[in-house]
């Protein structure tokens, strides 16, 4: 779960729906005994220990869950994410969070480069609300676009799937 923090969720497209999808996945992962890893961004406007930096209450990590702090879009860069996943025996990551075209995309691609299989949860990631004018595509289009990219991206030796939350199965080592 990437960057589902108070400040970011306030600007997120379909925030409540995305939180609900991720919450349901977390509950199912917990029941299945699958490790959950929360990624938490630090940076300008997201200083550690501030209210805005905190994970939204509905997704707050339990005491036994792993939390990885990052300072860039890449959850692997200068963090202990790879070491944490390996220690947990993870071979496949289930990717959810904020923001689709930045942190979610970068982290999913880096997971592939670090030799993890990837499940991108189709409605389990979101991006910021934006004006209708400007260079960015609309949030719904961005999410659909990235889902489609991951349906067709070729990464030799890696299993890549885009699934609705209802089709994500938790069994054996995996991580959210």
């Amino acid at each position: 779960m990437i960057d589902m923090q108070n400040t970011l969720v306030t600007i997120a497209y379909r925030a409540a729906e995305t939180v609900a999808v991720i919450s349901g996945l977390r509950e199912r992962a917990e029941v299945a005994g699958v490790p959950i890893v929360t990624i938490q961004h630090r940076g300008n406007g997201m200083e550690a220990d501030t209210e805005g930096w905190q994970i939204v209450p509905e997704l707050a990590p339990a005491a036994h869950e792993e939390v990885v702090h990052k300072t860039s879009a890449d959850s692997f860069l200068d963090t202990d994410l790879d070491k944490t996943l390996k220690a947990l025996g993870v071979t496949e990551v289930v990717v959810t969070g904020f923001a689709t075209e930045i942190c979610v995309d970068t982290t999913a691609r880096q997971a592939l480069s670090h030799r993890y299989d990837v499940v991108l949860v189709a409605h389990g990631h979101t991006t910021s609300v934006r004006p209708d004018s400007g260079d960015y595509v609309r949030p719904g289009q961005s999410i659909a676009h990235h889902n489609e990219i991951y349906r067709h991206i070729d990464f030799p030796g890696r299993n890549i799937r885009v699934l609705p939350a209802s089709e994500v199965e938790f069994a054996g080592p995996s991580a959210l």
Side-chain angles (χ1 to χ4, degrees), residues 43-57:
N44 190 20
M46 301 279 293
E47 288 77 17
D49 300 320
T50 63
E51 181 64 27
W53 175 78
Q54 300 295 328
I55 303 297
V56 295

Side-chain angles (χ1 to χ4, degrees), residues 81-137:
L81 180 57
D82 190 44
K83 178 180 167 185
T84 298
L85 295 174
K86 285 185 172 132
L88 293 168
V90 171
T91 59
E92 178 177 67
V93 293
V94 176
V95 180
T96 64
F98 182 93
T100 296
E101 63 282 281
I102 304 170
C103 300
V104 170
D105 180 53
T106 303
T107 298
R109 288 178 194 253
Q110 287 302 313
L112 293 165
S113 290
H114 282 83
R115 304 200 182 282
Y116 296 97
D117 293 332
V118 168
V119 173
L120 180 64
V121 181
H123 296 290
H125 60 97
T126 191
T127 192
S128 58
V129 173
R130 339 183 146 126
D132 288 338
S133 62
D135 291 334
Y136 283 111
V137 298

Side-chain angles (χ1 to χ4, degrees), residues 2-176:
I2 303 167
D3 299 349
M4 293 301 289
Q5 296 163 255
N6 289 326
T7 293
L8 300 174
V9 171
T10 64
I11 63 169
Y13 171 73
R14 299 178 315 122
E17 294 89 341
T18 305
V19 168
V21 166
I22 296 170
S23 179
L25 285 166
R26 291 189 61 179
E27 289 172 16
R28 290 176 37 222
E30 181 76 28
V31 167
V34 171
I36 299 167
V37 178
T38 297
I39 307 297
Q40 192 171 26
H41 189 80
R42 274 187 278 174
N44 190 20
M46 301 279 293
E47 288 77 17
D49 300 320
T50 63
E51 181 64 27
W53 175 78
Q54 300 295 328
I55 303 297
V56 295
E58 303 90 333
L59 301 174
H64 66 277
E65 293 175 8
E66 298 289 337
V67 178
V68 173
H69 299 102
K70 69 177 183 65
T71 57
S72 77
D74 179 353
S75 298
F76 287 89
L77 181 65
D78 298 328
T79 73
D80 60 354
L81 180 57
D82 190 44
K83 178 180 167 185
T84 298
L85 295 174
K86 285 185 172 132
L88 293 168
V90 171
T91 59
E92 178 177 67
V93 293
V94 176
V95 180
T96 64
F98 182 93
T100 296
E101 63 282 281
I102 304 170
C103 300
V104 170
D105 180 53
T106 303
T107 298
R109 288 178 194 253
Q110 287 302 313
L112 293 165
S113 290
H114 282 83
R115 304 200 182 282
Y116 296 97
D117 293 332
V118 168
V119 173
L120 180 64
V121 181
H123 296 290
H125 60 97
T126 191
T127 192
S128 58
V129 173
R130 339 183 146 126
D132 288 338
S133 62
D135 291 334
Y136 283 111
V137 298
R138 291 187 175 143
Q141 290 174 306
S142 181
I143 293 165
H145 173 81
H146 281 79
N147 286 342
E148 197 62 18
I149 286 172
Y150 280 86
R151 284 185 184 102
H152 298 283
I153 197 169
D154 184 24
F155 231 93
R158 302 277 53 91
N159 185 18
I160 306 163
R161 298 176 291 152
V162 178
L163 298 174
S166 62
E167 292 180 21
V168 175
E169 295 182 18
F170 293 108
S174 188
L176 174 65

